[in-house]
Amino acid sequence: MQEPKITDEIVAAHGLKPDEYQRILDLLGREPTFTELGIFSAMWNEHCSYKSSKKWLRTLPTEGPQVIQGPGENAGVVDIGDGQAVVFKMESHNHPSYIEPYQGAATGVGGILRDVFTMGARPIAAMDALSFGEPDHPRTPRLVHGVVEGIGGYGNCFGVPNVGGETRFHAAYNGNCLVNAFAAGLADTDKIFYSAASGVGMPVVYLGAKTGRDGVGGATMASAEFDETIEEKRPTVQVGDPFTEKRLLEACLELMETGAVISIQDMGAAGLTCSAVEMGDKGDLGIRLDLDRVPVREEGMTAYEMMLSESQERMLMVLNPEKEDVARQIFEKWDLDFAVVGETIAEDRFLVFHGNELKADLPLKALSGEAPEYDRPWVEPPAPAPLGEVPEVDPVDALRILLGSPNYAWKGWIWEQYDTSVMADTLRGPGLGAGLVRVHGTDKVLAFTADCTPRYVAANPVEGGRQAVAEAFRNLVAAGARPLATTDNLNFGNPEKPEIMGQFVGAIKGIGEACRALDMPIVSGNVSLYNETDGEPILPTPTIGAVGLVAHIDEVIGALPEDGQIALLVGETAGHLGQSALLAEVFNREEGDAPPVDLEAERRNGEFVLENRELVAAATDLSDGGLALAAFEMAEAAGIGVTIDADGSTAFLFGEDQGRYLLAAGFDQAEALMVRAAEAGVPIRAVGRFGGDTVRLGEAEAPLAELSDIYRNTFARLFGDP
Amino acid sequence: MKAAVIVFPGSNCDRDLADAFERASGRRPAMVWHKETEIPAGTDIVGIPGGFSFGDYLRCGAIAARSPIARAIVDFARRGGMVIGICNGFQVLTETGLLPGALMRNAGLKFICRTEPLIVETTDSPFTRNYARGEEIRIPIAHHDGNYQVSEAELAALRDADRIAFTYAHNPNGSVGSIAGVLSENRRVLGMMPHPERRVDPAQGGTDGLRLFTSIVDALAPA
């Protein structure tokens, strides 16, 4: 088939800037073929090349004694003792989810699960961090229903428990929703699989589902802003098949047991192109592909389409040739495609044949190594508007408003559509801080959390970056887990705008500082830029996914207080109301600075909670909505009331000072905690007690049942019955 | 007790079910691939686990009910063998005709996963003998198609023969008569939507499901 001639329009349609195209011409010393241009666009778009973010990502801490594999592989690998490792990553599927919510979200889940099991790990937990526009925006309900059903539809069938996440609503996401999917798996440390090819003349094997035309150009689409032509982009969204993914999981794990796998890489963004280049590049080898041998589900696909297809549930593997028969049998058993489609070669070339014609002949290393890298201009974001006077509120009235907002209402409407207990190891599902999953067959417990407060990042990127990590740290600690490591999913607007780039640079600085101070290195992550529609950017949203370990199940700190227990507030309360939930939801004001994060105090207070866990009956961290919301959520989950009577001021009840926990403890234990806190120099204060059937904040009170009714029914009121 | 757990390519509760059998009996069940044509010799009970046997792209359980192993399960049951089908396994059992009725999409049209209170309706079965009649137990559900439907005549027949094993205390999915689990005529085949295998260890939030498995062990123990 005759390929189209390269024109300026074709180059522009591939998202390549004129200077980037010139770079290609210089590199090749000739004009690329159409297929080659497609390969370059796939490798050099923002999504795959990190060309705007690389410079700053390098500044993040990625090492530690617990880290087995940091960023750069399909997922990060962290030691959890006894020869076991947790393998995890978080990745966005924002652009596709906005265009086609069900399939966009479903394939986001599929992609992240594949990243984990490609490394030899069986997925054991999933989480999702979602950001939507205002509830009454015409597009929002369809996105909420579609995204939640898509996540459930894929994860439930695959059979991985969903154990947490977060969901927010804000006008800044009206034109771009965010779907950040996290997955973690369990592997033996001596059975981790990597993507670097090795050995010349080794067979390159295609595994899994057949290749179709879906998702052609998806990665390029995800590297551009949206405008009114968005509906035309639906064909760039992939279609997911969780049943195939489940079979691919089982077949891959079975295959890995046989010693047949030299290296393996899932086909995600820019499918065959990215996976082949990745394996060759890391192994310092060339790759030759024969597209006539690729299993296809459509007639007449061109080389260009096959190289750029993002059909799901596919893998590429370099096979130990002695094991070809056993490998083929495993894939036949699971009714999956298995085809030798190429081989590794010694030369640094990427050769693509189709119909006995050479369709691409490119220097392989240059495809990733010579990708453009930008030091984009950036400016410090403007200082946030100063915080004006905040009038005193009736605290129970203010709480009612928070509970009636989908940002702070009970989110069971969402997570009850997810299987949270499959695999039978879930100790704590969504809704009670960190999710807890027992390491199957052991007494160890892994804790998972995903956090970010975009209002803070927008007001003060550095402080907001620190806060996202600190909140993740606290959520893990409150469950009794020692934080191990993090994955970052950085969602921002157009990096070509200096003020957006300034948000990015600031947030990375804050995240890096906090990860160092709290000993939570970054082991994997993903950057999603160009989250803008008609020039309107999202709030900067660097989602932090974090994993912690509880050495023994008996050391888990409970989440549910009991009648009569004392409410203890750990950490310093100054009453910071700038950028608070109260200010946003009750007064519709987004003013003031983000709350300052004292990383030393974070660490000290966290250590105090962990060291004294045997005295603590239940714990939660304080974040959005401050003490009032934390106390309500904790008590409501246990079905009891709570009284906070130490101070009835708005700043005390709703301030969002960082580094704080709310603990429930029996009388004697509370006394002991106060003594030990004084010794450790940790601020602590008894602020009230749990129990009864009313919620009392200062002088104001309301029946628990009335508040619970608001809290539990907000989602159904806004989005219909689940 | 010798148990066999069936594995379809999309089963995802097979390990959990095998663990629950092992916890109750001390013996690891045989895992039986769907392409097999026979139940292993000496099997006392066959477990059909939850999951999405063949993706459930047609009716749930419909393709599984036509797999080679399904024929063997039907023969095994007709010879008086004990069979339990949980969630997708229940759907498979209705598709094979070993149990009456059908499981339709939930009344609310959404997948539901939460722990539900169930009422034990009969203790006259090898699956429920260690419960008390009328007892409330808490077991998780996790399904999209758990809305059990039978004709009025069949419902009356099930009731007359005391073949309803469990009902929901608060019907979550629209099932007729709030039915959560039913027995075959000979009482040796049980299908249920809730997942007792997810409540066999205090760490899972309760052990209400364990007694179902110990009931089976006790029923099979030599008298």
Side-chain angles (χ1 to χ4, degrees):
Chain A
M1 189 185 291
Q2 196 63 41
E3 293 196 329
K5 185 148 175 52
I6 310 297
T7 63
D8 290 350
E9 289 72 39
I10 285 185
V11 170
H14 281 76
L16 290 162
K17 303 269 150 75
D19 58 318
E20 291 175 337
Y21 183 62
Q22 187 57 49
R23 203 182 168 95
I24 294 172
L25 294 176
D26 295 346
L27 204 63
L28 297 183
R30 61 173 168 85
E31 203 170 77
T33 66
F34 186 61
T35 299
E36 288 174 338
L37 184 74
I39 290 172
F40 272 107
S41 81
M43 292 303 300
W44 286 12
N45 64 58
E46 188 68 54
H47 187 82
C48 295
S49 73
Y50 295 89
K51 60 191 169 191
S52 301
S53 58
K54 227 188 255 176
K55 171 185 159 82
W56 301 100
L57 296 177
R58 282 193 202 105
T59 66
L60 290 169
T62 59
E63 289 173 359
Q66 71 274 43
V67 178
I68 295 174
Q69 175 65 51
E73 278 289 338
N74 285 297
V77 183
V78 175
D79 198 335
I80 58 166
D82 311 307
Q84 292 181 303
V86 60
V87 177
F88 65 96
K89 188 182 182 184
M90 188 173 230
E91 198 163 84
S92 60
H93 231 214
N94 304 334
H95 289 72
S97 299
Y98 192 77
I99 298 173
E100 170 51 52
Y102 185 98
Q103 291 298 343
T107 53
V109 174
I112 198 68
L113 289 169
R114 222 153 40 242
D115 278 335
V116 165
F117 71 77
T118 305
M119 309 238 12
R122 178 176 288 279
I124 58 163
M127 296 191 287
D128 302 282
L130 312 175
S131 304
F132 297 108
E134 294 160 296
D136 55 2
H137 184 275
R139 207 172 173 107
T140 300
R142 187 172 86 83
L143 290 172
V144 171
H145 280 272
V147 163
V148 172
E149 280 176 38
I151 291 169
Y154 207 99
N156 297 344
C157 177
F158 180 85
V160 63
N162 193 303
V163 299
E166 52 171 9
T167 306
R168 71 178 59 82
F169 297 83
H170 189 283
Y173 305 100
N174 281 347
N176 295 79
C177 65
L178 303 185
V179 175
N180 293 176
F182 170 99
L186 191 66
D188 291 338
T189 51
D190 59 354
K191 287 182 197 139
I192 310 281
F193 289 82
Y194 298 98
S195 55
S198 71
V200 173
M202 294 294 167
V204 173
V205 178
Y206 173 112
L207 306 171
K210 294 185 197 307
T211 296
R213 289 192 173 90
D214 50 325
V216 171
T220 304
M221 170 276 288
S223 304
E225 293 178 43
F226 284 156
D227 53 29
E228 70 287 346
T229 66
I230 176 174
E231 291 300 337
E232 295 165 16
K233 293 181 171 159
R234 277 182 80 168
T236 61
V237 178
Q238 316 85 327
V239 179
D241 175 2
F243 173 57
T244 298
E245 178 107 330
K246 161 74 173 163
R247 290 182 291 146
L248 189 59
L249 160 77
E250 299 297 345
C252 283
L253 294 184
E254 223 173 292
L255 185 64
M256 286 164 173
E257 286 289 323
T258 66
V261 181
I262 293 175
S263 75
I264 186 162
Q265 170 74 34
D266 86 296
M267 291 194 224
L272 207 45
T273 294
C274 265
S275 55
V277 171
E278 184 92 19
M279 292 171 84
D281 180 40
K282 288 209 176 114
D284 294 320
L285 290 165
I287 301 271
R288 177 203 152 100
L289 291 181
D290 182 358
L291 298 183
D292 295 313
R293 295 154 88 173
V294 169
V296 291
R297 69 172 122 87
E298 294 178 64
E299 298 280 311
M301 286 184 72
T302 63
Y304 175 91
E305 289 168 331
M306 287 163 80
M307 292 309 291
L308 295 194
S309 162
E310 293 191 6
S311 291
Q312 299 289 291
E313 295 92 24
R314 301 180 300 161
M315 296 270 195
L316 205 61
M317 168 180 78
V318 177
L319 176 76
N320 175 352
E322 290 165 16
K323 305 267 187 179
E324 185 173 333
D325 284 347
V326 60
R328 189 181 294 277
Q329 277 163 18
I330 289 170
F331 275 75
E332 278 168 6
K333 170 184 163 189
W334 290 95
D335 296 319
L336 290 165
D337 272 297
F338 176 101
V340 177
V341 295
E343 62 172 351
T344 56
I345 55 177
E347 278 174 285
D348 174 31
R349 287 170 84 183
F350 187 36
L351 299 172
V352 179
F353 289 88
H354 189 225
N356 293 320
E357 271 179 52
L358 182 61
K359 294 291 185 182
D361 180 358
L362 298 170
L364 187 142
K365 275 212 147 330
L367 282 169
S368 55
E370 294 295 320
E373 187 178 332
Y374 297 120
D375 184 359
R376 301 243 187 235
W378 59 279
V379 292
E380 296 268 359
L387 178 61
E389 204 196 308
V390 182
E392 285 293 307
V393 294
D394 177 305
V396 169
D397 281 347
L399 182 62
R400 282 191 186 96
I401 294 172
L402 291 186
L403 302 180
S405 155
N407 283 308
Y408 306 109
W410 184 72
K411 297 190 175 65
W413 188 96
I414 294 175
W415 74 65
E416 287 189 348
Q417 296 185 50
Y418 304 152
D419 196 332
T420 54
S421 53
V422 64
M423 300 184 90
D425 283 316
T426 303
L427 307 184
R428 191 177 296 168
L432 295 168
L436 298 177
V437 174
R438 180 167 52 183
V439 178
H440 193 71
T442 76
D443 289 319
K444 290 185 290 191
V445 176
L446 286 165
F448 303 98
T449 185
D451 300 284
C452 181
T453 313
R455 297 187 313 274
Y456 296 170
V457 191
N460 183 335
V462 178
E463 214 62 83
R466 283 192 196 117
Q467 194 276 339
V469 178
E471 189 177 335
F473 172 86
R474 287 198 300 271
N475 270 318
L476 299 176
V477 166
R482 178 149 301 276
L484 283 178
T486 57
T487 178
D488 57 347
N489 195 158
L490 308 169
N491 310 272
F492 289 80
N494 180 349
E496 294 162 41
K497 294 181 182 168
E499 61 277 17
I500 298 288
M501 203 55 212
Q503 292 176 338
F504 186 81
V505 171
I508 291 271
K509 180 167 185 281
I511 289 168
E513 286 174 11
C515 287
R516 275 188 194 91
L518 301 174
D519 197 13
M520 297 165 71
I522 305 261
V523 297
S524 57
N526 161 250
V527 180
S528 171
L529 302 174
Y530 297 96
N531 291 289
E532 298 202 3
T533 293
D534 296 330
E536 284 297 314
I538 58 161
L539 292 180
T541 312
T543 311
I544 295 296
V547 178
L549 178 68
V550 190
H552 193 280
I553 192 168
D554 294 341
E555 292 176 6
V556 167
I557 298 177
L560 305 177
E562 285 175 24
D563 208 323
Q565 287 175 340
I566 309 288
L568 291 166
L569 178 61
V570 172
E572 197 77 57
T573 301
H576 186 99
L577 286 173
Q579 300 300 340
S580 63
L582 176 101
L583 204 61
E585 300 284 347
V586 177
F587 297 103
N588 203 18
R589 287 161 54 186
E590 291 187 11
E591 301 168 2
D593 203 349
V597 180
D598 176 346
L599 292 168
E600 220 168 283
E602 281 289 353
R603 178 141 199 166
R604 184 196 60 204
N605 297 352
E607 292 292 341
F608 172 77
V609 172
L610 288 177
E611 281 165 19
N612 294 288
R613 61 181 122 211
E614 79 282 1
L615 296 171
V616 180
T620 186
D621 93 300
L622 263 59
S623 53
D624 277 8
L627 175 60
L629 189 60
F632 171 81
E633 285 177 351
M634 205 173 171
E636 205 273 348
I640 57 177
V642 62
T643 295
I644 301 293
D645 54 8
D647 183 337
S649 72
T650 300
F652 181 76
L653 289 169
F654 292 96
E656 296 182 5
D657 309 279
Q658 298 296 299
R660 299 188 301 162
Y661 300 84
L662 181 63
L663 310 181
F667 187 81
D668 293 344
Q669 289 80 359
E671 217 166 38
L673 282 164
M674 309 244 326
V675 171
R676 291 201 197 167
E679 287 165 5
V682 169
I684 193 167
R685 183 174 173 187
V687 292
R689 65 214 151 269
F690 292 96
D693 55 10
T694 53
V695 173
R696 214 177 119 215
L697 302 171
E699 299 297 314
E701 65 173 51
L704 170 68
E706 182 227 315
L707 298 175
S708 193
D709 191 53
I710 301 173
Y711 180 58
R712 299 238 165 202
N713 293 313
T714 294
F715 263 75
R717 175 171 59 78
L718 292 170
F719 302 113
D721 283 334
Chain B
M1 182 192 86
K2 205 174 156 196
V5 172
I6 309 300
V7 184
F8 295 106
S11 297
N12 60 30
C13 304
D14 43 330
R15 183 191 75 184
D16 311 349
L17 181 56
D19 286 352
F21 274 127
E22 186 177 3
R23 181 177 281 265
S25 71
R27 189 162 172 186
R28 191 76 191 163
M31 305 305 279
V32 181
W33 186 238
H34 65 103
K35 291 179 186 171
E36 301 286 329
T37 52
E38 277 174 45
I39 302 295
T43 297
D44 296 308
I45 177 160
V46 170
I48 313 177
F52 290 67
S53 43
F54 283 87
D56 287 353
Y57 293 124
L58 192 59
R59 290 189 316 278
C60 300
I63 297 179
R66 282 146 190 86
S67 65
I69 198 65
R71 251 166 261 138
I73 296 170
V74 170
D75 289 346
F76 177 79
R78 296 221 165 111
R79 291 196 306 268
M82 276 174 69
V83 180
I84 179 170
I86 296 168
C87 200
N88 191 228
F90 185 13
Q91 294 161 344
V92 173
L93 287 173
T94 60
E95 286 286 339
T96 59
L98 283 174
L99 290 174
L103 292 142
M104 318 279 285
R105 188 128 288 203
N106 293 343
L109 303 180
K110 302 259 187 192
F111 189 94
I112 310 170
C113 176
R114 58 173 176 250
T115 301
E116 283 286 340
L118 306 182
I119 308 296
V120 180
E121 295 290 340
T122 181
T123 53
D124 177 17
S125 89
F127 306 96
T128 56
R129 52 187 274 164
N130 290 355
Y131 294 103
R133 194 184 183 95
E135 183 184 352
E136 186 175 298
I137 59 173
R138 293 176 58 77
I139 305 282
I141 59 167
H143 58 246
H144 210 160
D145 298 77
N147 180 357
Y148 185 69
Q149 296 297 326
V150 284
S151 69
E152 273 186 37
E154 280 174 307
L155 179 63
L158 287 176
R159 282 185 171 141
D160 288 346
D162 192 27
R163 283 171 56 193
I164 299 168
F166 302 102
T167 54
Y168 300 105
H170 315 292
N171 193 342
N173 54 23
S175 291
V176 61
S178 293
I179 289 174
V182 291
L183 294 159
S184 61
E185 221 173 305
N186 71 358
R187 316 188 79 73
R188 294 179 68 78
V189 178
L190 170 69
M192 63 189 293
M193 287 312 294
H195 287 275
E197 79 280 12
R198 298 187 192 178
R199 280 294 181 281
V200 296
D201 178 345
Q204 293 166 332
T207 55
D208 280 351
L210 183 61
R211 276 181 291 160
L212 184 140
F213 295 97
T214 58
S215 293
I216 297 168
V217 173
D218 293 350
L220 286 165

